[in-house]
Amino acid sequence: MLSNKEVGSVFKTLAGLMELHGENDFKTRTYSNAAFQVGRVPKPVLSMELKDLETTQGIGKSVAAKIVELRETGTMQALEDLITITPPGLLEVLRIKGLGGKKVRVIWDELGVEDVGSLLYACYENRLSKLKGFGEKTQQSVIQAIEYYQSNAGKFHYATLADHAIIVEEQISAICAPQHISIAGDLRRQSDILESMDYVLACSATAFSQLLNGTYFEEVNIAEDVCTAKTPEGIRVRIFRCDDAQFYFTLFTHTGPAAHVDHIIQKAGEANYVSEEAIYLQAGMKYREPFLRDLDINFEPDLPNILQMEDIRGVVHNHSTWSDGKNTLEEMVVASKEMGYDYFVISDHSKTAVYAGGLSVEQIYAQQEEIAKLRNKYPDFTIFSSIECDILNDGSMDYPDDVLKTFDFVIASVHQNLKMDAEKANARLLRAIENPYTTILGHMTGRLLLSRPGYPVDHKRIIDACAAQRVVIELNANPYRLDMDHSWIPYAMEKGVMISIDPDAHSTEGIADIRWGVISARKGALTKQMTWNAMDAAGIRLWLQERRKAKGIL
């Protein structure tokens, strides 16, 4: 039997959905109030008779009837009817603290948002703040509420934990004073999604037991040589203890992934090794850094040429206040210049992206005039004119060719009508790739990590098409996208397709997301030579000229 609190949650959902769909205000307020009042009733409401419910303070006849219906049928028909006409993801959005049905309705209508991940991404693209009745403060509150909501689900983006993991390591060291300590597991391999922060440390069993007495960790439990706990932020931590001589072997086995570890250990055998390199040497194989261990064991990464952060020369794919960005075009240019980059690419949204302030043709020409002025103002810094052009439902582009040709190059992306089967998705992308003005294919699958899997894509078919049309593929560096997935980078390189590491920045702070894109690209062993924006501005210009000549669009 449901508790009163759980019954209250049912009424809260009902009231939220009624508000979302514009149902009768009086009834909506009645059920919203019931969500609170039911929890204050001392007896279990599902065990009470109808007449007793009707006379209970804060309940009344209509609420009482709904409680009886819930007891007898296990649901409420009014609730089921509303659920049927509501996108499933919006039910989750309604659970975000601070968002009632009316606000969710505005978000749904104005931004087309139908799930938590899309809402979070809309916040990071600065779109929520521009809606009437919201603003910057509300947007920041929604971001915090969503991140708290997702953390309670027990999964995290790598970018959320990467820097925090160092603080946790310091706390463990302060408590246990180990001879050796290292991050391990998915965190050490820099996986996109994490469920825990893992560590291996060499110390005595007595020192290890001090974790039980520390004040930093919560819910601490030690079973033999494994400690599980949570940080004050609720992040799951696993700590594996070993003796000093076993440290490197233990670290290797707890770094994973399991298939890679099993393959190496079958060749090397279990022993006390002096380093991880010694394990690989014993196995007769080249040492592989943790971030490369998810790759096929038979793939040979070009180790000396794997991309480094300092190899990135330009900031590709950015938005400004011309569309849904937070900062002006000049502020974005200056920030990129001050960060030491050689060039900046402005790629505001195209006209169909009304929710994101997409540019009309008249606005495009006005923006290009501003770009010309900024080029004169900053003659030692290159500014490229681009557009993130929506790929329409039939695969055509959002502007005619005579507009597309005015840009230095075009980034083509899908933003709307994402519910496609594989046939539709591939046909849509293929037609866009075949457009001679498409230079970069943006966020290939439209995925949002932890929120939206993206539409089904035949990666080999799309990569092959990009190779044939000399189209660059974006690795969108936003840590909530990281799209294209790094696992497809080896195939793209094999086919000669270059990858561009793009922050998709909607603010000056967003430029720093290039870091996460480089980390993801390195997991796919991307080389500097196959990274499009590892070329300098002169190299990009030459590449574009050669491509236009080959396409006959000079």
Side-chain angles (χ1 to χ4, degrees), residues 357-386:
L359 276 60
S360 66
V361 174
E362 292 74 20
Q363 287 176 308
I364 287 170
Y365 296 142
Q367 186 187 69
Q368 290 176 352
E369 287 179 9
E370 183 184 359
I371 292 170
K373 292 177 181 177
L374 290 173
R375 284 170 175 164
N376 289 329
K377 188 173 181 179
Y378 303 100
D380 60 337
F381 186 78
T382 301
I383 305 169
F384 288 103
S385 168
S386 180

Side-chain angles (χ1 to χ4, degrees), residues 435-497:
N435 187 296
Y437 292 97
T438 296
T439 317
I440 298 177
L441 178 62
H443 42 74
M444 182 192 291
T445 73
R447 77 179 185 182
L448 291 175
L449 295 168
L450 288 183
S451 301
R452 188 174 73 203
Y455 36 83
V457 168
D458 183 335
H459 282 78
K460 287 189 175 182
R461 190 177 174 191
I462 298 303
I463 291 170
D464 289 349
C466 288
Q469 299 297 330
R470 205 180 182 190
V471 168
V472 176
I473 294 177
E474 173 182 84
L475 195 164
N476 191 293
N478 186 295
Y480 298 102
R481 284 194 185 272
L482 298 178
D483 185 13
M484 177 180 70
D485 189 85
H486 58 76
S487 62
W488 287 100
I489 288 176
Y491 185 77
M493 290 195 295
E494 177 188 332
K495 293 298 179 178
V497 176

